[in-house]
Amino acid sequence: MQAFRRWEFSLTKSNDQTADLWQQAFNSAVAYRENVPEMPILPLYDAAEAHARFGGELDEESQSSEAVLAHILGQAEGGILQFTSPRFFGFVIGASHPVGVAADWMVSAWGNPTAYAEMSPATVAMENAVCTWAADLMGLPKNCGAGIVTGATIANTVGIMAARNALLSQYGWDVEADGLFGAPEVHVVVGEQAHSAVFAGLRYVGFGANRVTKVATDDQARILPDAMERALENLSGPILVILQAGSINSGDSDPFADLIPMAKKRKAWVHVDGAFGLWLNAAPDTKHMLDGVEQADSWAVDLHKWLNAPYDSALVYTKDRAPLVSAMSATGAYLPEEGTFPNPSDSVMELSRRARGVPSYAILKTLGKNGVAEMVSRHCRLARLLGDKLRAEAGITILNEIASNQVAICCGEGTLGDPQTAQVLKMVQDRGKVFPTHGSWKGRTTIRASIIGHETQDEDIDLLANELIEAWRAVRKS
Ligand SMILES: *Cc1c(COP(=O)(O)O)cnc(C)c1O
């Protein structure tokens, strides 16, 4: 494995211990990020080694902050996976945009629990701007209810909680006061290719992961309208329909313009898991893929995926603010009082919370509408480019139509195919130059490449394609 520079930090000694401490962390952060493109993507030591380094008994005695920071920096070196590399293509993972990181430092330095507008005016105002700007980029209705949460899993959960409130109140049941025992049964309809996070959300809210009607999808993970029609036909009472913008396998989305009116005829609440896919609306050349998505009732979307915000942040939106606030607020406030502003704590599960929307404020303001559009559009173009390069190699198959930024890759055929695909992936990951990850789709083991890092460019895709092709040729020969 190639050598890389250490995370050197130079100590500029001043008379201010806090300044010295922060300077050290800052220098180390700069050195780390400068090194990332040259570093092997995998960590140099494993989880067991990491626990040996950081575990053990807590010391009896106090020690200096400087010593502790030096310990963290020294011991973590080599134990970090390069998620921020422009050649990291695993899962669906953003790459912590530098201006977001800078703003995130200030969030920690300010230490403002961002619950109430009056108490933390600047951070709340920035978060409220993020809610408005992102809704606009995603083509969602004006004046949505909005909450900034930790990730799409929680955003989906909160959206389902708002749905639970609204659906049951239509049937005269106050779920916030009386709970679920004895409540009218809520029917849940989801696509059979829904993300596991949706089922986690259903569990968290007491709907159960298995008590759902699963609707068949086509070969690109899109719900079949006929199947949805049939599923809805048999249901009466409150209905929650959960759709998807951006499948992790195909990158494609459900046909909202067909499905949502169908669900609305049944007075269903429609929730959309758009963890990364909702951002497709921000680019003129991809927005058509989400036609009709604005007709839903609630949406979940990550800020730490396609916007490349540092972990952790995501948005939940509801067309009607009232059920979101009824479900989340400790005080039951609906609308801000005259002359006041929405309080973040009314729309999320947390009371005291980090101002986790502030980094996204910085990123959105830096990129502007055009910058976000350019990034989304570039990633989709690069995904198609990768597909073209790989399809040209005998024995490599692309399982998806590459509707957006995801590429599902298989090597070989028949019973040999899956183990060969796994071997190619391992070889490529071990070489450490590029980093796609494992998937499983349509009964096949796949290599999934997500093109989503803000720095990823054509040359990174060239390298990814070459690494995969070389590994495949070696595996095929052996
Ligand atoms: C990533 C993802 C999730 C989960 O998001 P987290 O931010 O990791 O909680 C849910 N749904 C889809 C479609 C995703 O891609």
Side-chain angles (χ1 to χ4, degrees):
M1 212 166 270
Q2 80 204 76
F4 58 93
R5 278 187 291 143
R6 293 178 61 85
W7 305 1
E8 293 148 24
F9 51 82
S10 63
L11 254 182
T12 42
K13 274 278 178 199
S14 73
N15 291 328
D16 183 336
Q17 282 184 344
T18 301
D20 287 347
L21 185 75
W22 289 4
Q23 192 68 49
Q24 261 188 40
F26 166 79
N27 290 347
S28 178
V30 171
Y32 171 67
R33 290 292 278 262
E34 276 178 5
N35 285 348
V36 160
E38 315 308 326
M39 287 166 75
I41 292 177
L42 275 176
L44 302 178
Y45 63 78
D46 65 8
E49 164 75 21
H51 284 75
R53 290 179 180 220
F54 295 107
E57 290 281 308
L58 178 62
D59 305 312
E60 295 290 339
E61 301 301 327
S62 306
Q63 54 183 312
S64 74
S65 305
E66 265 186 18
V68 172
L69 185 62
H71 155 77
I72 291 173
L73 297 177
Q75 295 300 316
E77 183 181 353
I80 302 293
L81 194 144
Q82 277 51 256
F83 283 101
T84 58
S85 166
R87 297 193 293 273
F88 183 91
F89 300 102
F91 316 106
V92 188
I93 293 277
S96 287
H97 192 288
V99 77
V101 173
D104 215 27
W105 290 339
M106 295 316 300
V107 168
S108 290
W110 292 329
N112 270 222
T114 298
Y116 300 114
E118 299 308 313
M119 301 294 288
S120 308
T123 53
V124 171
M126 284 189 265
E127 288 207 335
N128 284 337
V130 168
C131 294
T132 307
W133 294 348
D136 184 42
L137 287 172
M138 287 180 275
L140 303 184
K142 296 228 177 306
N143 303 315
C144 279
I148 301 184
V149 298
T150 49
T153 304
I154 301 304
N156 281 311
T157 304
V158 172
I160 295 168
M161 286 170 160
R164 181 177 71 174
N165 175 288
L167 286 168
L168 287 174
S169 78
Q170 273 170 28
Y171 284 77
W173 189 270
D174 181 350
V175 70
E176 311 307 332
D178 300 322
L180 277 175
F181 297 109
E185 186 176 352
V186 177
H187 299 285
V188 181
V189 180
V190 301
E192 64 183 6
Q193 302 268 324
H195 193 277
S196 57
V198 165
F199 296 97
L202 290 169
R203 276 168 36 218
Y204 301 156
V205 306
F207 284 174
N210 296 340
R211 241 189 86 278
V212 299
T213 305
K214 285 195 191 170
V215 184
T217 50
D218 68 9
D219 70 342
Q220 295 302 309
R222 298 170 294 217
I223 289 177
L224 290 161
D226 285 353
M228 176 64 82
E229 189 81 74
R230 282 196 302 279
L232 291 171
E233 245 165 42
N234 303 325
L235 301 177
S236 59
I239 304 170
L240 167 62
V241 172
I242 301 179
L243 306 179
Q244 179 168 257
S247 145
I248 55 167
N249 290 307
S250 70
D252 216 330
S253 302
D254 288 326
F256 303 111
D258 294 334
L259 299 177
I260 298 179
M262 219 180 261
K264 290 281 152 189
K265 249 189 257 159
R266 300 263 165 179
K267 299 202 160 31
W269 177 288
V270 180
H271 172 79
V272 177
D273 174 11
F276 66 95
L278 272 180
W279 289 102
L280 288 164
N281 194 76
D285 57 339
T286 53
K287 76 189 287 148
H288 65 275
M289 293 179 49
L290 301 182
D291 274 352
V293 76
E294 71 288 349
Q295 297 168 46
D297 299 287
S298 57
W299 303 263
V301 59
D302 270 314
L303 294 161
H304 58 216
K305 284 183 181 168
W306 225 332
L307 192 63
N308 281 255
Y311 284 85
D312 44 22
S313 56
L315 277 158
V316 56
Y317 285 111
T318 55
K319 184 165 64 193
D320 180 6
R321 186 167 187 266
L324 175 66
V325 174
S326 306
M328 291 298 118
S329 170
T331 59
Y334 263 29
L335 290 167
E337 284 166 37
E338 191 95 23
T340 65
F341 299 93
N343 290 318
S345 66
D346 286 338
S347 301
V348 298
M349 288 199 260
E350 296 85 3
L351 175 57
S352 306
R353 54 183 290 282
R354 175 178 186 74
R356 58 171 51 80
V358 169
S360 294
Y361 176 87
I363 296 169
L364 284 169
K365 213 165 165 63
T366 300
L367 295 179
K369 292 180 187 176
N370 291 343
V372 176
E374 181 282 324
M375 181 167 70
V376 167
S377 182
R378 164 167 42 101
H379 289 148
C380 295
R381 177 181 64 75
L382 292 177
R384 292 192 298 273
L385 179 68
L386 177 65
D388 291 345
K389 285 174 181 287
L390 294 177
R391 265 191 234 98
E393 175 70 15
I396 297 187
T397 321
I398 306 299
L399 287 190
N400 65 328
E401 287 166 6
I402 315 192
S404 61
N405 64 338
Q406 305 293 303
V407 186
I409 304 153
C410 284
C411 302
E413 274 169 14
T415 48
L416 274 181
D418 284 356
Q420 283 181 328
T421 302
Q423 247 181 304
V424 168
L425 177 62
K426 177 150 191 347
M427 212 180 253
V428 166
Q429 285 183 340
D430 285 349
R431 280 169 58 86
K433 292 189 175 177
V434 296
F435 202 85
T437 49
H438 163 270
S440 164
W441 191 39
K442 301 192 197 187
R444 293 262 347 231
T445 292
T446 61
I447 298 170
R448 273 180 50 208
S450 288
I451 325 295
I452 198 162
H454 61 96
E455 289 182 317
T456 301
Q457 299 289 351
D458 290 61
E459 60 267 26
D460 304 306
I461 298 302
D462 292 344
L463 186 63
L464 173 60
N466 289 344
E467 287 285 297
L468 285 165
I469 290 169
E470 259 181 50
W472 163 236
R473 287 179 184 169
V475 166
R476 192 173 49 179
K477 234 195 270 163
S478 64

